[in-house]
Amino acid sequence: MSINHAEPTSFAYTDANMKLVQKAIKKYPEGKQMSAVKSLLDLAQRQMGEQTGSAWLPRAAMDVAAEILGVSPMRVYEVATFYTMFNLKPVGKYHLQVCTTTPCWLRGSDDIVSACKKASGVAHFGGTSEDGMFTLKEVECLGACVNAPILQINDDYYEDMNAERVEALLADLKAGKSLPPAGSLGGRASSAPAAGLTSLTSNPTAGE
Ligand code: FES
Protein backbone atom coordinates (compact mmCIF):
# COMPACT_ATOMS: atom_id res chain seq x y z
CA MET A 1 0.00 0.00 0.00
CA SER A 2 1.69 3.20 -1.10
CA ILE A 3 0.56 6.65 -0.08
CA ASN A 4 -1.21 9.04 -2.39
CA HIS A 5 0.64 12.34 -1.92
CA ALA A 6 -1.65 14.35 -4.17
CA GLU A 7 -3.27 17.37 -2.52
CA PRO A 8 -7.06 17.00 -2.90
CA THR A 9 -8.82 19.89 -4.59
CA SER A 10 -11.89 19.70 -2.37
CA PHE A 11 -13.00 18.47 1.03
CA ALA A 12 -16.42 18.08 2.64
CA TYR A 13 -17.22 16.88 6.13
CA THR A 14 -19.47 13.83 6.20
CA ASP A 15 -22.99 14.39 7.55
CA ALA A 16 -22.02 12.69 10.81
CA ASN A 17 -18.92 14.85 11.19
CA MET A 18 -20.84 17.99 10.24
CA LYS A 19 -23.07 17.37 13.26
CA LEU A 20 -19.95 17.11 15.43
CA VAL A 21 -18.63 20.33 13.87
CA GLN A 22 -21.83 22.16 14.84
CA LYS A 23 -21.73 20.65 18.32
CA ALA A 24 -18.13 21.85 18.81
CA ILE A 25 -18.97 25.36 17.64
CA LYS A 26 -21.98 25.57 19.99
CA LYS A 27 -19.68 25.13 22.99
CA TYR A 28 -18.48 28.72 22.53
CA PRO A 29 -20.30 32.07 22.81
CA GLU A 30 -21.52 33.90 19.73
CA GLY A 31 -18.59 35.57 18.01
CA LYS A 32 -16.05 33.14 19.50
CA GLN A 33 -16.55 30.31 16.98
CA MET A 34 -12.83 30.34 16.14
CA SER A 35 -12.26 28.65 19.53
CA ALA A 36 -13.56 25.45 17.94
CA VAL A 37 -10.84 25.41 15.28
CA LYS A 38 -8.81 22.54 16.74
CA SER A 39 -11.92 20.36 17.00
CA LEU A 40 -12.75 21.03 13.35
CA LEU A 41 -9.21 20.25 12.23
CA ASP A 42 -9.09 17.09 14.30
CA LEU A 43 -12.39 15.89 12.81
CA ALA A 44 -11.10 16.61 9.29
CA GLN A 45 -7.86 14.74 9.91
CA ARG A 46 -9.66 11.70 11.35
CA GLN A 47 -12.09 11.72 8.42
CA MET A 48 -9.16 11.72 5.99
CA GLY A 49 -7.79 8.71 7.88
CA GLU A 50 -11.06 6.84 7.47
CA GLN A 51 -11.55 7.80 3.83
CA THR A 52 -7.99 7.47 2.52
CA GLY A 53 -6.11 5.40 5.10
CA SER A 54 -3.87 8.39 5.87
CA ALA A 55 -4.86 10.72 8.70
CA TRP A 56 -3.67 14.09 7.47
CA LEU A 57 -4.94 17.60 6.96
CA PRO A 58 -5.00 18.85 3.39
CA ARG A 59 -5.24 22.55 2.68
CA ALA A 60 -8.72 22.07 1.19
CA ALA A 61 -9.93 20.83 4.60
CA MET A 62 -8.40 23.83 6.36
CA ASP A 63 -10.13 26.13 3.89
CA VAL A 64 -13.48 24.46 4.58
CA ALA A 65 -12.92 24.85 8.34
CA ALA A 66 -12.10 28.54 7.83
CA GLU A 67 -15.25 29.05 5.81
CA ILE A 68 -17.41 27.39 8.45
CA LEU A 69 -15.79 29.46 11.21
CA GLY A 70 -16.06 32.68 9.23
CA VAL A 71 -12.35 33.52 9.44
CA SER A 72 -9.62 33.95 6.87
CA PRO A 73 -7.84 30.72 5.87
CA MET A 74 -4.56 32.11 7.23
CA ARG A 75 -5.92 32.03 10.79
CA VAL A 76 -6.59 28.31 10.42
CA TYR A 77 -3.21 27.63 8.77
CA GLU A 78 -1.54 29.36 11.75
CA VAL A 79 -3.12 26.87 14.15
CA ALA A 80 -2.57 23.80 11.97
CA THR A 81 1.11 24.56 11.47
CA PHE A 82 1.71 25.20 15.19
CA TYR A 83 0.58 21.84 16.63
CA THR A 84 2.55 18.71 15.76
CA MET A 85 -0.58 16.56 16.04
CA PHE A 86 -1.83 18.02 12.77
CA ASN A 87 -0.19 16.27 9.85
CA LEU A 88 0.31 18.60 6.92
CA LYS A 89 1.49 15.78 4.66
CA PRO A 90 0.07 12.26 4.23
CA VAL A 91 1.29 9.82 6.88
CA GLY A 92 1.56 6.06 7.02
CA LYS A 93 -0.96 3.73 8.61
CA TYR A 94 1.12 3.79 11.79
CA HIS A 95 2.42 7.19 12.81
CA LEU A 96 5.48 6.61 15.02
CA GLN A 97 6.07 9.61 17.23
CA VAL A 98 9.22 9.31 19.33
CA CYS A 99 9.69 11.64 22.28
CA THR A 100 13.32 12.78 22.50
CA THR A 101 12.96 15.42 25.22
CA THR A 102 15.39 15.20 28.15
CA PRO A 103 13.67 12.61 30.42
CA CYS A 104 13.06 10.26 27.48
CA TRP A 105 16.54 10.95 26.13
CA LEU A 106 18.11 10.07 29.49
CA ARG A 107 16.09 6.84 29.45
CA GLY A 108 17.28 5.80 25.99
CA SER A 109 15.22 7.57 23.32
CA ASP A 110 18.24 7.42 20.97
CA ASP A 111 17.83 3.64 21.00
CA ILE A 112 14.10 4.00 20.30
CA VAL A 113 14.81 6.22 17.29
CA SER A 114 17.38 3.76 15.92
CA ALA A 115 15.07 0.78 16.46
CA CYS A 116 12.17 2.58 14.76
CA LYS A 117 14.35 3.37 11.74
CA LYS A 118 15.68 -0.18 11.55
CA ALA A 119 12.32 -1.91 11.96
CA SER A 120 10.23 0.46 9.84
CA GLY A 121 12.69 1.14 7.03
CA VAL A 122 12.20 4.90 7.45
CA ALA A 123 15.58 6.60 7.21
CA HIS A 124 14.84 10.00 8.75
CA PHE A 125 12.29 11.99 10.73
CA GLY A 126 9.42 13.07 8.53
CA GLY A 127 9.88 10.08 6.24
CA THR A 128 7.41 7.35 5.35
CA SER A 129 8.23 3.75 4.52
CA GLU A 130 7.83 2.70 0.90
CA ASP A 131 4.98 0.35 1.77
CA GLY A 132 3.05 3.22 3.39
CA MET A 133 2.96 1.44 6.75
CA PHE A 134 5.05 3.78 8.88
CA THR A 135 5.81 7.48 9.23
CA LEU A 136 8.45 8.56 11.75
CA LYS A 137 8.27 11.84 13.64
CA GLU A 138 10.29 13.37 16.49
CA VAL A 139 8.10 15.01 19.12
CA GLU A 140 8.62 17.01 22.29
CA CYS A 141 7.54 15.87 25.76
CA LEU A 142 4.34 13.81 25.58
CA GLY A 143 3.63 14.35 29.27
CA ALA A 144 4.28 10.73 30.22
CA CYS A 145 7.90 11.10 31.41
CA VAL A 146 7.25 8.93 34.47
CA ASN A 147 7.28 5.85 32.21
CA ALA A 148 9.94 7.12 29.78
CA PRO A 149 10.94 6.49 27.09
CA ILE A 150 7.68 6.90 25.20
CA LEU A 151 6.72 5.92 21.66
CA GLN A 152 3.33 7.23 20.55
CA ILE A 153 1.69 5.28 17.72
CA ASN A 154 -1.35 7.01 16.25
CA ASP A 155 -3.36 8.01 19.36
CA ASP A 156 -1.78 5.60 21.85
CA TYR A 157 1.25 5.79 24.14
CA TYR A 158 3.62 2.83 24.49
CA GLU A 159 5.74 3.25 27.59
CA ASP A 160 8.93 1.80 29.12
CA MET A 161 10.16 1.17 25.61
CA ASN A 162 13.52 -0.24 24.61
CA ALA A 163 14.96 -1.30 21.25
CA GLU A 164 13.86 -4.90 21.65
CA ARG A 165 10.26 -3.94 22.43
CA VAL A 166 10.11 -1.49 19.52
CA GLU A 167 11.40 -4.08 17.05
CA ALA A 168 8.98 -6.74 18.31
CA LEU A 169 6.03 -4.34 18.19
CA LEU A 170 6.78 -3.13 14.66
CA ALA A 171 7.36 -6.70 13.47
CA ASP A 172 3.90 -7.62 14.79
CA LEU A 173 2.34 -4.66 12.95
CA LYS A 174 4.11 -5.64 9.74
CA ALA A 175 2.75 -9.16 10.18
CA GLY A 176 -0.76 -7.74 10.26
CA LYS A 177 -1.39 -7.83 13.98
CA SER A 178 -3.30 -5.01 15.68
CA LEU A 179 -1.79 -2.52 18.08
CA PRO A 180 -1.56 -3.94 21.61
CA PRO A 181 -3.33 -2.19 24.51
CA ALA A 182 -1.71 1.16 25.26
CA GLY A 183 0.48 1.64 28.32
CA SER A 184 3.66 0.17 29.70
CA LEU A 185 5.17 -2.65 27.68
CA GLY A 186 7.48 -3.30 30.61
CA GLY A 187 4.72 -4.85 32.65
CA ARG A 188 4.35 -2.16 35.26
CA ALA A 189 0.88 -1.19 36.40
CA SER A 190 0.05 2.39 35.49
CA SER A 191 2.98 4.48 36.77
CA ALA A 192 3.84 2.32 39.79
CA PRO A 193 7.56 1.80 40.47
CA ALA A 194 9.13 -0.30 37.70
CA ALA A 195 10.78 -2.68 40.18
CA GLY A 196 7.65 -3.20 42.26
CA LEU A 197 6.24 -1.48 45.32
CA THR A 198 8.65 0.53 47.47
CA SER A 199 6.09 1.66 50.04
CA LEU A 200 2.83 0.32 51.46
CA THR A 201 4.33 -3.13 50.93
CA SER A 202 2.32 -4.79 53.69
CA ASN A 203 -1.37 -4.86 54.35
CA PRO A 204 -1.64 -3.50 57.89
CA THR A 205 -4.39 -4.93 60.02
CA ALA A 206 -5.51 -4.00 63.51
CA GLY A 207 -3.06 -5.07 66.21
CA GLU A 208 -0.06 -5.65 63.93
S1 FES B 1 10.15 13.74 28.10
FE1 FES B 1 9.23 12.11 26.97
S2 FES B 1 7.24 12.06 27.79
FE2 FES B 1 8.14 13.73 28.82
Side-chain angles (χ1 to χ4, degrees), residues 124-143:
H124 55 83
F125 289 128
T128 297
S129 59
E130 279 184 17
D131 59 6
M133 283 276 282
F134 301 106
T135 293
L136 182 61
K137 185 188 272 184
E138 180 178 38
V139 293
E140 300 297 333
C141 181
L142 292 167

mmCIF file of all heavy atoms in Angstrom, residues 124-143:
data_model
loop_
_atom_site.group_PDB
_atom_site.id
_atom_site.type_symbol
_atom_site.label_atom_id
_atom_site.label_comp_id
_atom_site.label_asym_id
_atom_site.label_seq_id
_atom_site.Cartn_x
_atom_site.Cartn_y
_atom_site.Cartn_z
ATOM 1 N N HIS A 124 14.686 8.706 8.064
ATOM 2 C CA HIS A 124 14.837 9.999 8.752
ATOM 3 C C HIS A 124 13.476 10.473 9.258
ATOM 4 O O HIS A 124 12.429 10.045 8.768
ATOM 5 C CB HIS A 124 15.443 11.042 7.808
ATOM 6 C CG HIS A 124 14.652 11.195 6.535
ATOM 7 N ND1 HIS A 124 13.529 11.980 6.440
ATOM 8 C CD2 HIS A 124 14.791 10.614 5.315
ATOM 9 C CE1 HIS A 124 13.028 11.901 5.229
ATOM 10 N NE2 HIS A 124 13.774 11.069 4.519
ATOM 11 N N PHE A 125 13.529 11.404 10.223
ATOM 12 C CA PHE A 125 12.289 11.989 10.729
ATOM 13 C C PHE A 125 11.535 12.671 9.593
ATOM 14 O O PHE A 125 12.130 13.344 8.749
ATOM 15 C CB PHE A 125 12.582 13.021 11.824
ATOM 16 C CG PHE A 125 13.063 12.406 13.116
ATOM 17 C CD1 PHE A 125 14.219 12.859 13.718
ATOM 18 C CD2 PHE A 125 12.342 11.392 13.728
ATOM 19 C CE1 PHE A 125 14.662 12.306 14.916
ATOM 20 C CE2 PHE A 125 12.783 10.828 14.920
ATOM 21 C CZ PHE A 125 13.937 11.285 15.509
ATOM 22 N N GLY A 126 10.243 12.477 9.579
ATOM 23 C CA GLY A 126 9.418 13.072 8.533
ATOM 24 C C GLY A 126 9.230 12.135 7.349
ATOM 25 O O GLY A 126 8.420 12.412 6.469
ATOM 26 N N GLY A 127 9.978 11.011 7.356
ATOM 27 C CA GLY A 127 9.882 10.078 6.236
ATOM 28 C C GLY A 127 8.794 9.033 6.439
ATOM 29 O O GLY A 127 8.324 8.799 7.558
ATOM 30 N N THR A 128 8.418 8.414 5.333
ATOM 31 C CA THR A 128 7.408 7.354 5.352
ATOM 32 C C THR A 128 7.970 6.139 4.627
ATOM 33 O O THR A 128 8.660 6.292 3.606
ATOM 34 C CB THR A 128 6.108 7.839 4.663
ATOM 35 O OG1 THR A 128 5.577 8.926 5.417
ATOM 36 C CG2 THR A 128 5.051 6.742 4.578
ATOM 37 N N SER A 129 7.703 4.960 5.156
ATOM 38 C CA SER A 129 8.226 3.747 4.521
ATOM 39 C C SER A 129 7.591 3.554 3.139
ATOM 40 O O SER A 129 6.474 4.019 2.890
ATOM 41 C CB SER A 129 7.959 2.530 5.416
ATOM 42 O OG SER A 129 6.579 2.394 5.654
ATOM 43 N N GLU A 130 8.309 2.867 2.281
ATOM 44 C CA GLU A 130 7.834 2.698 0.902
ATOM 45 C C GLU A 130 6.507 1.976 0.825
ATOM 46 O O GLU A 130 5.697 2.215 -0.074
ATOM 47 C CB GLU A 130 8.880 1.943 0.082
ATOM 48 C CG GLU A 130 9.980 2.859 -0.395
ATOM 49 C CD GLU A 130 10.969 2.154 -1.289
ATOM 50 O OE1 GLU A 130 10.643 1.063 -1.797
ATOM 51 O OE2 GLU A 130 12.062 2.706 -1.466
ATOM 52 N N ASP A 131 6.247 1.081 1.791
ATOM 53 C CA ASP A 131 4.983 0.347 1.769
ATOM 54 C C ASP A 131 3.834 1.146 2.383
ATOM 55 O O ASP A 131 2.689 0.681 2.433
ATOM 56 C CB ASP A 131 5.129 -0.998 2.500
ATOM 57 C CG ASP A 131 5.545 -0.827 3.958
ATOM 58 O OD1 ASP A 131 5.609 0.327 4.424
ATOM 59 O OD2 ASP A 131 5.804 -1.842 4.622
ATOM 60 N N GLY A 132 4.119 2.381 2.837
ATOM 61 C CA GLY A 132 3.054 3.218 3.392
ATOM 62 C C GLY A 132 2.618 2.810 4.788
ATOM 63 O O GLY A 132 1.633 3.349 5.299
ATOM 64 N N MET A 133 3.367 1.915 5.413
ATOM 65 C CA MET A 133 2.960 1.445 6.750
ATOM 66 C C MET A 133 3.331 2.427 7.857
ATOM 67 O O MET A 133 2.579 2.612 8.804
ATOM 68 C CB MET A 133 3.651 0.104 7.064
ATOM 69 C CG MET A 133 3.047 -1.099 6.385
ATOM 70 S SD MET A 133 1.645 -1.741 7.288
ATOM 71 C CE MET A 133 2.426 -2.641 8.602
ATOM 72 N N PHE A 134 4.529 3.007 7.753
ATOM 73 C CA PHE A 134 5.052 3.780 8.878
ATOM 74 C C PHE A 134 5.516 5.176 8.461
ATOM 75 O O PHE A 134 6.150 5.336 7.422
ATOM 76 C CB PHE A 134 6.260 3.067 9.501
ATOM 77 C CG PHE A 134 5.963 1.679 9.997
ATOM 78 C CD1 PHE A 134 6.415 0.570 9.290
ATOM 79 C CD2 PHE A 134 5.235 1.477 11.161
ATOM 80 C CE1 PHE A 134 6.149 -0.719 9.735
ATOM 81 C CE2 PHE A 134 4.966 0.185 11.615
ATOM 82 C CZ PHE A 134 5.416 -0.917 10.897
ATOM 83 N N THR A 135 5.203 6.147 9.319
ATOM 84 C CA THR A 135 5.814 7.478 9.226
ATOM 85 C C THR A 135 6.487 7.727 10.563
ATOM 86 O O THR A 135 5.944 7.367 11.612
ATOM 87 C CB THR A 135 4.743 8.565 8.965
ATOM 88 O OG1 THR A 135 4.204 8.363 7.666
ATOM 89 C CG2 THR A 135 5.335 9.969 9.035
ATOM 90 N N LEU A 136 7.682 8.316 10.527
ATOM 91 C CA LEU A 136 8.451 8.555 11.748
ATOM 92 C C LEU A 136 8.532 10.055 12.022
ATOM 93 O O LEU A 136 8.868 10.842 11.135
ATOM 94 C CB LEU A 136 9.860 7.981 11.576
ATOM 95 C CG LEU A 136 10.805 8.078 12.769
ATOM 96 C CD1 LEU A 136 10.260 7.311 13.979
ATOM 97 C CD2 LEU A 136 12.187 7.533 12.387
ATOM 98 N N LYS A 137 8.193 10.421 13.259
ATOM 99 C CA LYS A 137 8.267 11.837 13.636
ATOM 100 C C LYS A 137 8.918 11.977 15.010
ATOM 101 O O LYS A 137 8.713 11.132 15.880
ATOM 102 C CB LYS A 137 6.857 12.437 13.675
ATOM 103 C CG LYS A 137 6.827 13.945 13.950
ATOM 104 C CD LYS A 137 5.423 14.445 14.176
ATOM 105 C CE LYS A 137 4.732 14.845 12.903
ATOM 106 N NZ LYS A 137 3.398 15.424 13.160
ATOM 107 N N GLU A 138 9.711 13.039 15.174
ATOM 108 C CA GLU A 138 10.289 13.366 16.486
ATOM 109 C C GLU A 138 9.353 14.359 17.154
ATOM 110 O O GLU A 138 8.950 15.346 16.539
ATOM 111 C CB GLU A 138 11.672 14.002 16.291
ATOM 112 C CG GLU A 138 12.362 14.369 17.592
ATOM 113 C CD GLU A 138 13.752 14.951 17.340
ATOM 114 O OE1 GLU A 138 13.925 15.709 16.357
ATOM 115 O OE2 GLU A 138 14.666 14.651 18.126
ATOM 116 N N VAL A 139 9.004 14.092 18.417
ATOM 117 C CA VAL A 139 8.102 15.011 19.118
ATOM 118 C C VAL A 139 8.713 15.430 20.450
ATOM 119 O O VAL A 139 9.606 14.769 20.979
ATOM 120 C CB VAL A 139 6.706 14.385 19.360
ATOM 121 C CG1 VAL A 139 5.978 14.170 18.046
ATOM 122 C CG2 VAL A 139 6.810 13.083 20.140
ATOM 123 N N GLU A 140 8.199 16.535 20.973
ATOM 124 C CA GLU A 140 8.616 17.013 22.288
ATOM 125 C C GLU A 140 7.796 16.296 23.354
ATOM 126 O O GLU A 140 6.878 15.535 23.047
ATOM 127 C CB GLU A 140 8.423 18.540 22.379
ATOM 128 C CG GLU A 140 9.213 19.335 21.356
ATOM 129 C CD GLU A 140 10.715 19.182 21.526
ATOM 130 O OE1 GLU A 140 11.167 18.926 22.662
ATOM 131 O OE2 GLU A 140 11.438 19.294 20.513
ATOM 132 N N CYS A 141 8.115 16.575 24.613
ATOM 133 C CA CYS A 141 7.537 15.867 25.761
ATOM 134 C C CYS A 141 6.050 15.551 25.575
ATOM 135 O O CYS A 141 5.230 16.423 25.307
ATOM 136 C CB CYS A 141 7.728 16.689 27.021
ATOM 137 S SG CYS A 141 7.061 15.852 28.482
ATOM 138 N N LEU A 142 5.722 14.273 25.726
ATOM 139 C CA LEU A 142 4.343 13.811 25.576
ATOM 140 C C LEU A 142 3.609 13.790 26.917
ATOM 141 O O LEU A 142 2.474 13.325 27.000
ATOM 142 C CB LEU A 142 4.340 12.407 24.949
ATOM 143 C CG LEU A 142 4.820 12.350 23.492
ATOM 144 C CD1 LEU A 142 5.090 10.915 23.066
ATOM 145 C CD2 LEU A 142 3.797 12.990 22.563
ATOM 146 N N GLY A 143 4.283 14.267 27.963
ATOM 147 C CA GLY A 143 3.628 14.348 29.272
ATOM 148 C C GLY A 143 3.510 13.008 29.964
ATOM 149 O O GLY A 143 2.651 12.834 30.826
#
